[in-house]
Amino acid sequence: MRKTRSAPFPPLPAVLASAPEPSTRPRKRERTRRQLITAAARVYSARGMTRATIREIAAAAEMTPVTIYNHFRSESEIVQAVAIWIADTFCQRIVDSCASVPRGAERVAIGCRRFIWLAEESPAWALLVSEVAVATPALLKQIGTYILADLRLGVQQNDLHIVSDAAALDLISGTVIQAMRRVASRLAPRHHAIAAVSSILSGLGMPPRKAREFARRPLPPLITPRPETKPGRSRRAG
């Protein structure tokens, strides 16, 4: 059988280089599962979810399709795993970068701007995030667990005034996903991230002038994880 060479996959952005999720699985099995998830993410980014195949994912992971089905019962389960992996990884990087930020509303603004920033830095990955969010609720649910604490803190600090948690999360996720698509498609005007985040904060009850000031504040740097040097040794999110 003649082998066909697939197009090169775009590299993973540095901030998504390793998943922060701890696990109780045996060490080798967890390594294999993570390798399959990152391979699936690369294939989805290059091919799109609807065109990607199990065989392509297996080839990207340098494994067999049988190995994939030893870890995932269906293609939809792989999509959900990728969604959760993206959410956990990127959100944890954002949370780590906000460790010294005391205002909940500012932390919300940083998180929103960082996802739009991902669209500027890596359009293919940003479009993947938006596609997965539409395909499965797991991504938005996972991201929501990170946003909710900062949202409630902003309410306690009297910076934000919301009607309900669910409505606030819908406002945030809907605006950010659309802004990511616009930026990734090169259709956004200058400073679109700041305008989008200002609109989000205003919708969350912050006065417009204050919302613009919060949205313009400098972003704290993301901490890029260093590659693991010892195979099988898990990294803990800190």
Side-chain angles (χ1 to χ4, degrees), residues 8-21:
F9 294 140
L12 289 166
V15 293
L16 297 177
S18 63
E21 55 178 328

Side-chain angles (χ1 to χ4, degrees), residues 20 92-97 99 223 235-238:
Q92 189 59 59
R93 304 293 177 242
I94 295 169
V95 168
D96 291 346
S97 75
I223 301 173
R235 293 174 60 90
R236 295 184 59 86

Side-chain angles (χ1 to χ4, degrees), residues 65-227:
V66 172
T67 303
I68 292 181
Y69 286 114
N70 285 337
H71 292 264
F72 304 101
R73 292 172 294 180
S74 65
E75 291 185 35
S76 62
E77 200 170 278
I78 300 174
V79 171
Q80 182 169 324
V82 171
I84 293 173
W85 174 79
I86 290 173
D88 276 342
T89 303
F90 198 43
C91 286
Q92 189 59 59
R93 304 293 177 242
I94 295 169
V95 168
D96 291 346
S97 75
C98 290
S100 61
V101 178
R103 309 301 296 183
E106 184 176 357
R107 294 166 71 96
V108 170
I110 290 168
C112 294
R113 282 184 61 191
R114 275 301 180 193
F115 271 91
I116 301 172
W117 167 88
L118 182 64
E120 297 172 352
E121 293 295 308
S122 185
W125 283 93
L127 290 173
L128 170 66
V129 169
S130 65
E131 188 177 353
V132 171
V134 172
T136 174
L139 179 66
L140 294 181
K141 181 179 180 181
Q142 193 72 15
I143 293 174
T145 61
Y146 287 90
I147 298 174
L148 202 52
D150 295 333
L151 188 62
R152 289 172 175 169
L153 179 60
V155 171
Q156 291 174 6
Q157 294 170 333
N158 208 34
D159 288 326
L160 305 176
H161 306 276
I162 64 175
V163 176
S164 74
D165 290 345
L169 290 174
D170 284 350
L171 169 66
I172 294 168
S173 61
T175 305
V176 169
I177 288 173
Q178 184 56 39
M180 290 172 67
R181 288 175 172 170
R182 187 181 294 275
V183 170
S185 301
R186 303 291 189 251
L187 298 174
R190 289 185 63 191
H191 310 302
H192 186 60
I194 292 175
V197 175
S198 297
S199 298
I200 290 171
L201 294 177
S202 294
L204 296 175
M206 183 176 282
R209 181 176 295 181
K210 186 176 180 181
R212 288 193 295 272
E213 190 272 320
F214 267 60
R216 288 193 181 104
R217 290 183 180 180
L219 291 172
L222 288 172
I223 301 173
T224 302
R226 288 183 292 181

